[in-house]
Amino acid sequence: GDSVTQMEGPVTLSEEAFLTINCTYTATGYPSLFWYVQYPGEGLQLLLKATKADDKGSNKGFEATYRKETTSFHLEKGSVQVSDSAVYFCALSDQRGSYIPTFGRGTSLIVHP
Amino acid sequence: DAGVIQSPRHEVTEMGQEVTLRCKPISGHDYLFWYRQTMMRGLELLIYFNNNVPIDDSGMPEDRFSAKMPNASFSTLKIQPSEPRDSAVYFCASSPGSGAGELFFGEGSRLTVL
């Protein structure tokens, strides 16, 4: 079945550092890929998405590129802020399968001033 | 739109009591999901509905859990009787379907069972 694997956290960075959170997936169909963010005390919200190979999703300075050859969708940001501290979830949705999203375990990001 | 609305935001109850969590999805969304989030198990899908019909409840942990969706604008998740191990944050999410795959989450209901 479909699965998503994320790097374990927490990831601890200083403000303005470069961020990478790794995500790889397994899917038999043609998935769309997503990154969700969960701020403390809130629900998950969509950060960015990509629907086909080589697409790049971007939002709020974050970006991720759909790499079919490496089955990856790594999240990057060039300069993190304290306000980026949150839990980040990678997810996929197989558009030709059950459609129901499959989530990774989440990666906690802590940014220090 | 107001987004997905859940109530209560916080619930503290004693073991053995009945707990009812409520959800109002975004108008026009065909899918509704109930998730549970804990530190140990992460985000777990409990059940989801399509057009008010339960499609997959294989994630419901046991018979103490039940979910209903009597109409397109309301769903409940009930735990009876509650146990301390049910303590978690329960999220409701809705989606327009059509293969988009994007979910819209509520802010969650934090349940503590003493």
PDB file of all heavy atoms in Angstrom, chain A residues 49-86:
ATOM      1  N   LYS A  49       1.652  22.016  -2.252  1.00  0.00           N
ATOM      2  CA  LYS A  49       1.362  20.742  -2.888  1.00  0.00           C
ATOM      3  C   LYS A  49       1.943  20.702  -4.295  1.00  0.00           C
ATOM      4  O   LYS A  49       2.266  21.743  -4.876  1.00  0.00           O
ATOM      5  CB  LYS A  49      -0.139  20.470  -2.935  1.00  0.00           C
ATOM      6  CG  LYS A  49      -0.899  21.405  -3.859  1.00  0.00           C
ATOM      7  CD  LYS A  49      -2.394  21.046  -3.856  1.00  0.00           C
ATOM      8  CE  LYS A  49      -3.176  21.949  -4.793  1.00  0.00           C
ATOM      9  NZ  LYS A  49      -4.633  21.636  -4.766  1.00  0.00           N
ATOM     10  N   ALA A  50       2.071  19.480  -4.829  1.00  0.00           N
ATOM     11  CA  ALA A  50       2.504  19.268  -6.212  1.00  0.00           C
ATOM     12  C   ALA A  50       1.742  18.068  -6.746  1.00  0.00           C
ATOM     13  O   ALA A  50       1.595  17.062  -6.042  1.00  0.00           O
ATOM     14  CB  ALA A  50       4.008  19.027  -6.280  1.00  0.00           C
ATOM     15  N   THR A  51       1.248  18.165  -7.945  1.00  0.00           N
ATOM     16  CA  THR A  51       0.360  17.137  -8.455  1.00  0.00           C
ATOM     17  C   THR A  51       0.986  16.225  -9.501  1.00  0.00           C
ATOM     18  O   THR A  51       0.397  15.192  -9.841  1.00  0.00           O
ATOM     19  CB  THR A  51      -0.909  17.765  -9.047  1.00  0.00           C
ATOM     20  OG1 THR A  51      -0.517  18.683 -10.078  1.00  0.00           O
ATOM     21  CG2 THR A  51      -1.683  18.508  -7.978  1.00  0.00           C
ATOM     22  N   LYS A  52       2.153  16.573 -10.016  1.00  0.00           N
ATOM     23  CA  LYS A  52       2.798  15.684 -10.983  1.00  0.00           C
ATOM     24  C   LYS A  52       4.304  15.838 -10.911  1.00  0.00           C
ATOM     25  O   LYS A  52       4.826  16.819 -10.344  1.00  0.00           O
ATOM     26  CB  LYS A  52       2.292  15.938 -12.384  1.00  0.00           C
ATOM     27  CG  LYS A  52       2.554  17.318 -12.923  1.00  0.00           C
ATOM     28  CD  LYS A  52       1.945  17.452 -14.306  1.00  0.00           C
ATOM     29  CE  LYS A  52       2.311  18.774 -14.968  1.00  0.00           C
ATOM     30  NZ  LYS A  52       1.801  19.933 -14.233  1.00  0.00           N
ATOM     31  N   ALA A  53       4.978  14.883 -11.503  1.00  0.00           N
ATOM     32  CA  ALA A  53       6.439  14.840 -11.449  1.00  0.00           C
ATOM     33  C   ALA A  53       7.053  16.147 -11.957  1.00  0.00           C
ATOM     34  O   ALA A  53       6.581  16.728 -12.929  1.00  0.00           O
ATOM     35  CB  ALA A  53       6.940  13.666 -12.265  1.00  0.00           C
ATOM     36  N   ASP A  54       8.093  16.583 -11.230  1.00  0.00           N
ATOM     37  CA  ASP A  54       8.875  17.786 -11.522  1.00  0.00           C
ATOM     38  C   ASP A  54       8.154  19.082 -11.148  1.00  0.00           C
ATOM     39  O   ASP A  54       8.749  20.159 -11.277  1.00  0.00           O
ATOM     40  CB  ASP A  54       9.313  17.845 -12.990  1.00  0.00           C
ATOM     41  CG  ASP A  54      10.187  16.658 -13.375  1.00  0.00           C
ATOM     42  OD1 ASP A  54      10.976  16.218 -12.523  1.00  0.00           O
ATOM     43  OD2 ASP A  54      10.049  16.166 -14.503  1.00  0.00           O
ATOM     44  N   ASP A  55       6.931  18.999 -10.695  1.00  0.00           N
ATOM     45  CA  ASP A  55       6.255  20.196 -10.188  1.00  0.00           C
ATOM     46  C   ASP A  55       6.944  20.667  -8.926  1.00  0.00           C
ATOM     47  O   ASP A  55       7.415  19.875  -8.118  1.00  0.00           O
ATOM     48  CB  ASP A  55       4.790  19.882  -9.847  1.00  0.00           C
ATOM     49  CG  ASP A  55       3.871  20.104 -11.015  1.00  0.00           C
ATOM     50  OD1 ASP A  55       4.357  20.460 -12.100  1.00  0.00           O
ATOM     51  OD2 ASP A  55       2.658  19.912 -10.839  1.00  0.00           O
ATOM     52  N   LYS A  56       6.965  21.979  -8.731  1.00  0.00           N
ATOM     53  CA  LYS A  56       7.472  22.547  -7.492  1.00  0.00           C
ATOM     54  C   LYS A  56       6.335  23.271  -6.805  1.00  0.00           C
ATOM     55  O   LYS A  56       5.723  24.170  -7.396  1.00  0.00           O
ATOM     56  CB  LYS A  56       8.632  23.510  -7.757  1.00  0.00           C
ATOM     57  CG  LYS A  56       9.160  24.202  -6.492  1.00  0.00           C
ATOM     58  CD  LYS A  56      10.238  25.231  -6.802  1.00  0.00           C
ATOM     59  CE  LYS A  56      11.545  24.577  -7.141  1.00  0.00           C
ATOM     60  NZ  LYS A  56      12.653  25.561  -7.278  1.00  0.00           N
ATOM     61  N   GLY A  57       6.078  22.889  -5.574  1.00  0.00           N
ATOM     62  CA  GLY A  57       5.118  23.623  -4.763  1.00  0.00           C
ATOM     63  C   GLY A  57       5.854  24.626  -3.900  1.00  0.00           C
ATOM     64  O   GLY A  57       6.970  24.362  -3.448  1.00  0.00           O
ATOM     65  N   SER A  58       5.245  25.788  -3.675  1.00  0.00           N
ATOM     66  CA  SER A  58       5.905  26.797  -2.851  1.00  0.00           C
ATOM     67  C   SER A  58       4.872  27.650  -2.134  1.00  0.00           C
ATOM     68  O   SER A  58       3.758  27.876  -2.633  1.00  0.00           O
ATOM     69  CB  SER A  58       6.818  27.687  -3.695  1.00  0.00           C
ATOM     70  OG  SER A  58       6.072  28.376  -4.667  1.00  0.00           O
ATOM     71  N   ASN A  59       5.263  28.110  -0.938  1.00  0.00           N
ATOM     72  CA  ASN A  59       4.373  28.952  -0.133  1.00  0.00           C
ATOM     73  C   ASN A  59       5.152  29.453   1.077  1.00  0.00           C
ATOM     74  O   ASN A  59       5.890  28.676   1.700  1.00  0.00           O
ATOM     75  CB  ASN A  59       3.143  28.168   0.327  1.00  0.00           C
ATOM     76  CG  ASN A  59       2.119  29.022   1.028  1.00  0.00           C
ATOM     77  OD1 ASN A  59       2.056  30.228   0.825  1.00  0.00           O
ATOM     78  ND2 ASN A  59       1.306  28.394   1.853  1.00  0.00           N
ATOM     79  N   LYS A  60       5.009  30.707   1.417  1.00  0.00           N
ATOM     80  CA  LYS A  60       5.617  31.295   2.622  1.00  0.00           C
ATOM     81  C   LYS A  60       7.119  31.068   2.679  1.00  0.00           C
ATOM     82  O   LYS A  60       7.690  30.928   3.770  1.00  0.00           O
ATOM     83  CB  LYS A  60       4.966  30.721   3.881  1.00  0.00           C
ATOM     84  CG  LYS A  60       3.480  30.976   3.993  1.00  0.00           C
ATOM     85  CD  LYS A  60       2.926  30.407   5.298  1.00  0.00           C
ATOM     86  CE  LYS A  60       1.446  30.666   5.395  1.00  0.00           C
ATOM     87  NZ  LYS A  60       0.864  30.123   6.648  1.00  0.00           N
ATOM     88  N   GLY A  61       7.791  30.980   1.561  1.00  0.00           N
ATOM     89  CA  GLY A  61       9.227  30.780   1.529  1.00  0.00           C
ATOM     90  C   GLY A  61       9.646  29.324   1.537  1.00  0.00           C
ATOM     91  O   GLY A  61      10.815  29.001   1.354  1.00  0.00           O
ATOM     92  N   PHE A  62       8.685  28.428   1.741  1.00  0.00           N
ATOM     93  CA  PHE A  62       8.946  26.998   1.684  1.00  0.00           C
ATOM     94  C   PHE A  62       8.748  26.516   0.247  1.00  0.00           C
ATOM     95  O   PHE A  62       7.924  27.049  -0.487  1.00  0.00           O
ATOM     96  CB  PHE A  62       7.976  26.229   2.584  1.00  0.00           C
ATOM     97  CG  PHE A  62       8.179  26.452   4.056  1.00  0.00           C
ATOM     98  CD1 PHE A  62       7.537  27.498   4.710  1.00  0.00           C
ATOM     99  CD2 PHE A  62       8.995  25.610   4.786  1.00  0.00           C
ATOM    100  CE1 PHE A  62       7.722  27.706   6.054  1.00  0.00           C
ATOM    101  CE2 PHE A  62       9.176  25.803   6.148  1.00  0.00           C
ATOM    102  CZ  PHE A  62       8.540  26.849   6.785  1.00  0.00           C
ATOM    103  N   GLU A  63       9.511  25.479  -0.100  1.00  0.00           N
ATOM    104  CA  GLU A  63       9.300  24.873  -1.392  1.00  0.00           C
ATOM    105  C   GLU A  63       9.666  23.390  -1.344  1.00  0.00           C
ATOM    106  O   GLU A  63      10.431  22.957  -0.487  1.00  0.00           O
ATOM    107  CB  GLU A  63      10.098  25.573  -2.494  1.00  0.00           C
ATOM    108  CG  GLU A  63      11.584  25.622  -2.292  1.00  0.00           C
ATOM    109  CD  GLU A  63      12.266  26.380  -3.420  1.00  0.00           C
ATOM    110  OE1 GLU A  63      11.671  27.338  -3.964  1.00  0.00           O
ATOM    111  OE2 GLU A  63      13.395  26.000  -3.767  1.00  0.00           O
ATOM    112  N   ALA A  64       9.062  22.632  -2.276  1.00  0.00           N
ATOM    113  CA  ALA A  64       9.349  21.208  -2.390  1.00  0.00           C
ATOM    114  C   ALA A  64       9.109  20.807  -3.833  1.00  0.00           C
ATOM    115  O   ALA A  64       8.161  21.274  -4.465  1.00  0.00           O
ATOM    116  CB  ALA A  64       8.453  20.397  -1.458  1.00  0.00           C
ATOM    117  N   THR A  65       9.977  19.932  -4.346  1.00  0.00           N
ATOM    118  CA  THR A  65       9.884  19.494  -5.727  1.00  0.00           C
ATOM    119  C   THR A  65       9.556  18.012  -5.785  1.00  0.00           C
ATOM    120  O   THR A  65      10.180  17.197  -5.098  1.00  0.00           O
ATOM    121  CB  THR A  65      11.203  19.750  -6.479  1.00  0.00           C
ATOM    122  OG1 THR A  65      11.504  21.150  -6.421  1.00  0.00           O
ATOM    123  CG2 THR A  65      11.098  19.313  -7.931  1.00  0.00           C
ATOM    124  N   TYR A  66       8.575  17.679  -6.592  1.00  0.00           N
ATOM    125  CA  TYR A  66       8.114  16.312  -6.771  1.00  0.00           C
ATOM    126  C   TYR A  66       9.139  15.576  -7.623  1.00  0.00           C
ATOM    127  O   TYR A  66       9.263  15.826  -8.825  1.00  0.00           O
ATOM    128  CB  TYR A  66       6.769  16.383  -7.493  1.00  0.00           C
ATOM    129  CG  TYR A  66       5.956  15.117  -7.645  1.00  0.00           C
ATOM    130  CD1 TYR A  66       4.579  15.192  -7.572  1.00  0.00           C
ATOM    131  CD2 TYR A  66       6.521  13.886  -7.877  1.00  0.00           C
ATOM    132  CE1 TYR A  66       3.783  14.071  -7.732  1.00  0.00           C
ATOM    133  CE2 TYR A  66       5.750  12.765  -8.033  1.00  0.00           C
ATOM    134  CZ  TYR A  66       4.379  12.853  -7.971  1.00  0.00           C
ATOM    135  OH  TYR A  66       3.606  11.740  -8.137  1.00  0.00           O
ATOM    136  N   ARG A  67       9.891  14.665  -7.018  1.00  0.00           N
ATOM    137  CA  ARG A  67      10.927  13.908  -7.722  1.00  0.00           C
ATOM    138  C   ARG A  67      10.494  12.460  -7.864  1.00  0.00           C
ATOM    139  O   ARG A  67      10.587  11.678  -6.919  1.00  0.00           O
ATOM    140  CB  ARG A  67      12.245  13.958  -6.937  1.00  0.00           C
ATOM    141  CG  ARG A  67      12.796  15.354  -6.706  1.00  0.00           C
ATOM    142  CD  ARG A  67      13.350  15.960  -7.958  1.00  0.00           C
ATOM    143  NE  ARG A  67      14.058  17.215  -7.701  1.00  0.00           N
ATOM    144  CZ  ARG A  67      14.309  18.113  -8.625  1.00  0.00           C
ATOM    145  NH1 ARG A  67      13.898  17.918  -9.881  1.00  0.00           N
ATOM    146  NH2 ARG A  67      14.974  19.216  -8.307  1.00  0.00           N
ATOM    147  N   LYS A  68      10.003  12.121  -9.045  1.00  0.00           N
ATOM    148  CA  LYS A  68       9.495  10.767  -9.247  1.00  0.00           C
ATOM    149  C   LYS A  68      10.648   9.759  -9.270  1.00  0.00           C
ATOM    150  O   LYS A  68      10.510   8.632  -8.789  1.00  0.00           O
ATOM    151  CB  LYS A  68       8.708  10.701 -10.552  1.00  0.00           C
ATOM    152  CG  LYS A  68       7.970   9.396 -10.753  1.00  0.00           C
ATOM    153  CD  LYS A  68       7.079   9.437 -11.978  1.00  0.00           C
ATOM    154  CE  LYS A  68       6.315   8.140 -12.142  1.00  0.00           C
ATOM    155  NZ  LYS A  68       5.445   8.162 -13.354  1.00  0.00           N
ATOM    156  N   GLU A  69      11.796  10.157  -9.797  1.00  0.00           N
ATOM    157  CA  GLU A  69      12.903   9.206  -9.933  1.00  0.00           C
ATOM    158  C   GLU A  69      13.464   8.770  -8.592  1.00  0.00           C
ATOM    159  O   GLU A  69      13.966   7.654  -8.447  1.00  0.00           O
ATOM    160  CB  GLU A  69      14.010   9.802 -10.807  1.00  0.00           C
ATOM    161  CG  GLU A  69      14.677  11.042 -10.255  1.00  0.00           C
ATOM    162  CD  GLU A  69      13.930  12.323 -10.553  1.00  0.00           C
ATOM    163  OE1 GLU A  69      12.766  12.265 -10.977  1.00  0.00           O
ATOM    164  OE2 GLU A  69      14.520  13.400 -10.338  1.00  0.00           O
ATOM    165  N   THR A  70      13.356   9.658  -7.601  1.00  0.00           N
ATOM    166  CA  THR A  70      13.832   9.311  -6.257  1.00  0.00           C
ATOM    167  C   THR A  70      12.675   9.148  -5.276  1.00  0.00           C
ATOM    168  O   THR A  70      12.905   8.948  -4.080  1.00  0.00           O
ATOM    169  CB  THR A  70      14.784  10.388  -5.722  1.00  0.00           C
ATOM    170  OG1 THR A  70      14.129  11.665  -5.763  1.00  0.00           O
ATOM    171  CG2 THR A  70      16.072  10.429  -6.531  1.00  0.00           C
ATOM    172  N   THR A  71      11.455   9.203  -5.775  1.00  0.00           N
ATOM    173  CA  THR A  71      10.220   9.139  -4.952  1.00  0.00           C
ATOM    174  C   THR A  71      10.365   9.993  -3.705  1.00  0.00           C
ATOM    175  O   THR A  71      10.187   9.520  -2.569  1.00  0.00           O
ATOM    176  CB  THR A  71       9.848   7.689  -4.584  1.00  0.00           C
ATOM    177  OG1 THR A  71      10.898   7.077  -3.813  1.00  0.00           O
ATOM    178  CG2 THR A  71       9.586   6.863  -5.816  1.00  0.00           C
ATOM    179  N   SER A  72      10.683  11.257  -3.923  1.00  0.00           N
ATOM    180  CA  SER A  72      10.916  12.155  -2.795  1.00  0.00           C
ATOM    181  C   SER A  72      10.184  13.473  -2.982  1.00  0.00           C
ATOM    182  O   SER A  72       9.824  13.860  -4.107  1.00  0.00           O
ATOM    183  CB  SER A  72      12.413  12.416  -2.618  1.00  0.00           C
ATOM    184  OG  SER A  72      12.935  13.106  -3.741  1.00  0.00           O
ATOM    185  N   PHE A  73       9.988  14.156  -1.852  1.00  0.00           N
ATOM    186  CA  PHE A  73       9.306  15.460  -1.852  1.00  0.00           C
ATOM    187  C   PHE A  73       9.833  16.224  -0.637  1.00  0.00           C
ATOM    188  O   PHE A  73       9.113  16.526   0.303  1.00  0.00           O
ATOM    189  CB  PHE A  73       7.792  15.246  -1.779  1.00  0.00           C
ATOM    190  CG  PHE A  73       6.962  16.470  -2.078  1.00  0.00           C
ATOM    191  CD1 PHE A  73       7.117  17.178  -3.256  1.00  0.00           C
ATOM    192  CD2 PHE A  73       5.987  16.883  -1.171  1.00  0.00           C
ATOM    193  CE1 PHE A  73       6.331  18.285  -3.538  1.00  0.00           C
ATOM    194  CE2 PHE A  73       5.190  17.997  -1.444  1.00  0.00           C
ATOM    195  CZ  PHE A  73       5.372  18.694  -2.624  1.00  0.00           C
ATOM    196  N   HIS A  74      11.103  16.557  -0.663  1.00  0.00           N
ATOM    197  CA  HIS A  74      11.767  17.183   0.476  1.00  0.00           C
ATOM    198  C   HIS A  74      11.345  18.639   0.624  1.00  0.00           C
ATOM    199  O   HIS A  74      11.301  19.393  -0.358  1.00  0.00           O
ATOM    200  CB  HIS A  74      13.288  17.107   0.322  1.00  0.00           C
ATOM    201  CG  HIS A  74      13.814  15.714   0.115  1.00  0.00           C
ATOM    202  ND1 HIS A  74      13.299  14.617   0.780  1.00  0.00           N
ATOM    203  CD2 HIS A  74      14.815  15.247  -0.671  1.00  0.00           C
ATOM    204  CE1 HIS A  74      13.959  13.530   0.412  1.00  0.00           C
ATOM    205  NE2 HIS A  74      14.874  13.885  -0.479  1.00  0.00           N
ATOM    206  N   LEU A  75      11.122  19.039   1.852  1.00  0.00           N
ATOM    207  CA  LEU A  75      10.719  20.420   2.148  1.00  0.00           C
ATOM    208  C   LEU A  75      11.953  21.257   2.456  1.00  0.00           C
ATOM    209  O   LEU A  75      12.797  20.826   3.251  1.00  0.00           O
ATOM    210  CB  LEU A  75       9.762  20.446   3.338  1.00  0.00           C
ATOM    211  CG  LEU A  75       9.216  21.809   3.747  1.00  0.00           C
ATOM    212  CD1 LEU A  75       8.269  22.337   2.675  1.00  0.00           C
ATOM    213  CD2 LEU A  75       8.486  21.708   5.097  1.00  0.00           C
ATOM    214  N   GLU A  76      12.037  22.440   1.867  1.00  0.00           N
ATOM    215  CA  GLU A  76      13.192  23.317   2.083  1.00  0.00           C
ATOM    216  C   GLU A  76      12.738  24.750   2.318  1.00  0.00           C
ATOM    217  O   GLU A  76      11.712  25.181   1.821  1.00  0.00           O
ATOM    218  CB  GLU A  76      14.133  23.280   0.869  1.00  0.00           C
ATOM    219  CG  GLU A  76      14.760  21.935   0.599  1.00  0.00           C
ATOM    220  CD  GLU A  76      15.703  21.944  -0.583  1.00  0.00           C
ATOM    221  OE1 GLU A  76      15.542  22.827  -1.452  1.00  0.00           O
ATOM    222  OE2 GLU A  76      16.591  21.088  -0.639  1.00  0.00           O
ATOM    223  N   LYS A  77      13.574  25.448   3.098  1.00  0.00           N
ATOM    224  CA  LYS A  77      13.406  26.884   3.268  1.00  0.00           C
ATOM    225  C   LYS A  77      14.782  27.487   3.483  1.00  0.00           C
ATOM    226  O   LYS A  77      15.561  26.964   4.277  1.00  0.00           O
ATOM    227  CB  LYS A  77      12.486  27.225   4.433  1.00  0.00           C
ATOM    228  CG  LYS A  77      12.167  28.720   4.511  1.00  0.00           C
ATOM    229  CD  LYS A  77      11.163  29.062   5.593  1.00  0.00           C
ATOM    230  CE  LYS A  77      10.803  30.555   5.518  1.00  0.00           C
ATOM    231  NZ  LYS A  77       9.859  30.976   6.581  1.00  0.00           N
ATOM    232  N   GLY A  78      15.023  28.578   2.825  1.00  0.00           N
ATOM    233  CA  GLY A  78      16.358  29.148   2.844  1.00  0.00           C
ATOM    234  C   GLY A  78      16.739  29.806   4.157  1.00  0.00           C
ATOM    235  O   GLY A  78      17.914  29.810   4.537  1.00  0.00           O
ATOM    236  N   SER A  79      15.751  30.365   4.862  1.00  0.00           N
ATOM    237  CA  SER A  79      16.056  31.106   6.081  1.00  0.00           C
ATOM    238  C   SER A  79      14.850  31.002   7.011  1.00  0.00           C
ATOM    239  O   SER A  79      13.837  31.674   6.800  1.00  0.00           O
ATOM    240  CB  SER A  79      16.348  32.568   5.743  1.00  0.00           C
ATOM    241  OG  SER A  79      16.549  33.333   6.913  1.00  0.00           O
ATOM    242  N   VAL A  80      14.972  30.161   8.030  1.00  0.00           N
ATOM    243  CA  VAL A  80      13.815  29.928   8.898  1.00  0.00           C
ATOM    244  C   VAL A  80      13.697  31.031   9.954  1.00  0.00           C
ATOM    245  O   VAL A  80      14.676  31.683  10.321  1.00  0.00           O
ATOM    246  CB  VAL A  80      13.902  28.556   9.586  1.00  0.00           C
ATOM    247  CG1 VAL A  80      13.789  27.443   8.560  1.00  0.00           C
ATOM    248  CG2 VAL A  80      15.181  28.421  10.422  1.00  0.00           C
ATOM    249  N   GLN A  81      12.482  31.195  10.426  1.00  0.00           N
ATOM    250  CA  GLN A  81      12.169  32.153  11.481  1.00  0.00           C
ATOM    251  C   GLN A  81      11.617  31.411  12.690  1.00  0.00           C
ATOM    252  O   GLN A  81      11.140  30.273  12.569  1.00  0.00           O
ATOM    253  CB  GLN A  81      11.141  33.160  10.975  1.00  0.00           C
ATOM    254  CG  GLN A  81      11.541  33.866   9.694  1.00  0.00           C
ATOM    255  CD  GLN A  81      12.839  34.651   9.862  1.00  0.00           C
ATOM    256  OE1 GLN A  81      12.989  35.406  10.828  1.00  0.00           O
ATOM    257  NE2 GLN A  81      13.786  34.474   8.941  1.00  0.00           N
ATOM    258  N   VAL A  82      11.655  32.077  13.821  1.00  0.00           N
ATOM    259  CA  VAL A  82      11.107  31.475  15.043  1.00  0.00           C
ATOM    260  C   VAL A  82       9.645  31.074  14.819  1.00  0.00           C
ATOM    261  O   VAL A  82       9.193  30.035  15.301  1.00  0.00           O
ATOM    262  CB  VAL A  82      11.243  32.438  16.234  1.00  0.00           C
ATOM    263  CG1 VAL A  82      10.511  31.896  17.450  1.00  0.00           C
ATOM    264  CG2 VAL A  82      12.720  32.677  16.565  1.00  0.00           C
ATOM    265  N   SER A  83       8.935  31.863  14.057  1.00  0.00           N
ATOM    266  CA  SER A  83       7.510  31.597  13.809  1.00  0.00           C
ATOM    267  C   SER A  83       7.276  30.357  12.945  1.00  0.00           C
ATOM    268  O   SER A  83       6.138  29.915  12.805  1.00  0.00           O
ATOM    269  CB  SER A  83       6.863  32.807  13.137  1.00  0.00           C
ATOM    270  OG  SER A  83       7.540  33.125  11.927  1.00  0.00           O
ATOM    271  N   ASP A  84       8.322  29.791  12.382  1.00  0.00           N
ATOM    272  CA  ASP A  84       8.192  28.551  11.611  1.00  0.00           C
ATOM    273  C   ASP A  84       8.185  27.317  12.507  1.00  0.00           C
ATOM    274  O   ASP A  84       7.976  26.198  12.011  1.00  0.00           O
ATOM    275  CB  ASP A  84       9.342  28.422  10.598  1.00  0.00           C
ATOM    276  CG  ASP A  84       9.286  29.472   9.500  1.00  0.00           C
ATOM    277  OD1 ASP A  84       8.169  29.872   9.116  1.00  0.00           O
ATOM    278  OD2 ASP A  84      10.361  29.901   9.037  1.00  0.00           O
ATOM    279  N   SER A  85       8.418  27.493  13.771  1.00  0.00           N
ATOM    280  CA  SER A  85       8.394  26.373  14.713  1.00  0.00           C
ATOM    281  C   SER A  85       7.021  25.724  14.695  1.00  0.00           C
ATOM    282  O   SER A  85       6.002  26.376  14.964  1.00  0.00           O
ATOM    283  CB  SER A  85       8.729  26.850  16.132  1.00  0.00           C
ATOM    284  OG  SER A  85      10.031  27.392  16.183  1.00  0.00           O
ATOM    285  N   ALA A  86       6.991  24.453  14.350  1.00  0.00           N
ATOM    286  CA  ALA A  86       5.734  23.739  14.144  1.00  0.00           C
ATOM    287  C   ALA A  86       6.062  22.283  13.842  1.00  0.00           C
ATOM    288  O   ALA A  86       7.227  21.892  13.798  1.00  0.00           O
ATOM    289  CB  ALA A  86       4.951  24.350  12.978  1.00  0.00           C
TER     290      ALA A  86
END
